[in-house]
Amino acid sequence: KDKAALEEGDDLTPRFDANGLVTAVVTDVADGTVLMLAHMNAEALSKTLSTGIAHYYSRSRASLWKKGESSGNLQTVHEIRTDCDQDAIWMKVSVSGHGSSCHTGHNSCFYRRIETGNGTVRLVADAEDVPRFDPDKVY
Amino acid sequence: KDKAALEEGDDLTPRFDANGLVTAVVTDVADGTVLMLAHMNAEALSKTLSTGIAHYYSRSRASLWKKGESSGNLQTVHEIRTDCDQDAIWMKVSVSGHGSSCHTGHNSCFYRRIETGNGTVRLVADAEDVPRFDPDKVY
């Protein structure tokens, strides 16, 4: 695939890595919050496109992962994009169930800011992004 | 590192992969657009935290990459977060120079939507995200 077609063409030709995966970044269609990063293989991308519901590849389980199948927090895809070199996907989604995309119960996996100062680095959790479910009860 | 400390603690303990990298997602602090995905090694993360300017690790060049050093499109970091298992970073940035984060000159690397319908899949470029510079003149 030549560079011009890859970067400027209208054919979707994902550049899967050595493990057959592309990285997907997932944002909340309503407010732009980055909810999570995950990976997709060809099957997950295909299922996502055909159903409009986000599917990923679980590296830990080595299998197709319909996000929210256990917890009820399915992600409906409102828009899906690829990047210049087609090795990444960006999806804008809305989340059903508890409205949470993190296995911890938080809305977003990115519930902690990194703060620096006085020669230290520390994580500070968002006061507003409290867990929406108890993982011990849902999984 | 136990799971509770990793997920709920206030210590930054990035889980670099086998290549020593974490994935960074970069959004526009003003409007939430996902500008790019990139990778950071420990040095790139440290430089980003100490300078407030985004640094990455270039896998193609196998070296530290101060984004925008050639093109002038430096990224100033307004907020930086990590995710539940600390293998990803989310940064909200503002971009100087042309205000472009993609080597193609586009504002965002994600300048093409994936559209489906009538049994086809195709990429559709955003009319509004026209290239802001000519890569052949800048690089």
Side-chain angles (χ1 to χ4, degrees), chain B residues 76-94:
Chain B
T76 299
V77 178
H78 293 257
E79 187 176 278
I80 180 167
R81 293 174 172 271
T82 191
D83 72 340
C84 46
D85 59 357
Q86 300 200 34
D87 66 355
I89 296 289
W90 170 20
M91 295 194 298
K92 299 179 185 178
V93 307
S94 54

Side-chain angles (χ1 to χ4, degrees), chain A residues 81-137:
Chain A
R81 293 173 172 272
T82 192
D83 71 341
C84 46
D85 60 357
Q86 301 200 36
D87 66 355
I89 297 289
W90 170 20
M91 294 193 298
K92 299 179 185 178
V93 307
S94 55
V95 185
S96 55
H98 311 88
S100 167
S101 288
C102 186
H103 75 283
T104 58
H106 291 280
N107 171 46
S108 162
C109 292
F110 294 89
Y111 49 84
R112 290 173 296 183
R113 293 191 313 282
I114 304 175
E115 297 208 338
T116 57
N118 300 319
T120 66
V121 176
R122 63 203 166 280
L123 301 180
V124 179
D126 290 337
E128 66 271 26
D129 189 357
V130 295
R132 298 176 180 194
F133 64 81
D134 179 347
D136 291 336
K137 292 183 182 157

Side-chain angles (χ1 to χ4, degrees), chain A residues 3 6-7 9-11 25 34 80-84 90 103 109-114 122-123 126, chain B residues 6-7 9-11 25 34 80-84 86 90 103 109-114 122-123 126:
Chain A
K3 189 170 150 76
L6 185 70
E7 294 184 349
D10 56 8
D11 287 336
V25 51
V34 176
I80 178 166
R81 293 173 172 272
T82 192
D83 71 341
C84 46
W90 170 20
H103 75 283
C109 292
F110 294 89
Y111 49 84
R112 290 173 296 183
R113 293 191 313 282
I114 304 175
R122 63 203 166 280
L123 301 180
D126 290 337
Chain B
L6 184 71
E7 294 185 349
D10 56 9
D11 288 335
V25 52
V34 175
I80 180 167
R81 293 174 172 271
T82 191
D83 72 340
C84 46
Q86 300 200 34
W90 170 20
H103 75 285
C109 292
F110 293 88
Y111 48 85
R112 290 174 295 183
R113 294 190 312 280
I114 305 174
R122 64 205 166 278
L123 301 181
D126 290 336

Side-chain angles (χ1 to χ4, degrees), chain B residues 9 13 21 28 34 42 44 55 58 66 74 79-80 128 138-139:
Chain B
T13 55
L21 303 175
D28 185 320
V34 175
H55 290 69
S58 167
K66 183 179 179 181
L74 295 171
E79 187 176 278
I80 180 167
E128 65 270 25
V138 166
Y139 294 111

Side-chain angles (χ1 to χ4, degrees), chain B residues 18-88:
Chain B
N19 296 311
L21 303 175
V22 292
T23 303
V25 52
V26 185
T27 62
D28 185 320
V29 66
D31 67 10
T33 300
V34 175
L35 299 175
M36 57 183 281
L37 287 184
H39 296 86
M40 290 179 166
N41 63 1
E43 182 187 15
L45 179 57
S46 174
K47 283 269 189 191
T48 299
L49 291 173
S50 63
T51 64
I53 303 293
H55 290 69
Y56 304 100
Y57 179 79
S58 167
R59 293 181 298 178
S60 56
R61 292 192 297 270
S63 65
L64 186 71
W65 170 29
K66 183 179 179 181
K67 171 75 184 165
E69 196 162 35
S70 306
S71 69
N73 292 280
L74 295 171
Q75 297 175 336
T76 299
V77 178
H78 293 257
E79 187 176 278
I80 180 167
R81 293 174 172 271
T82 191
D83 72 340
C84 46
D85 59 357
Q86 300 200 34
D87 66 355

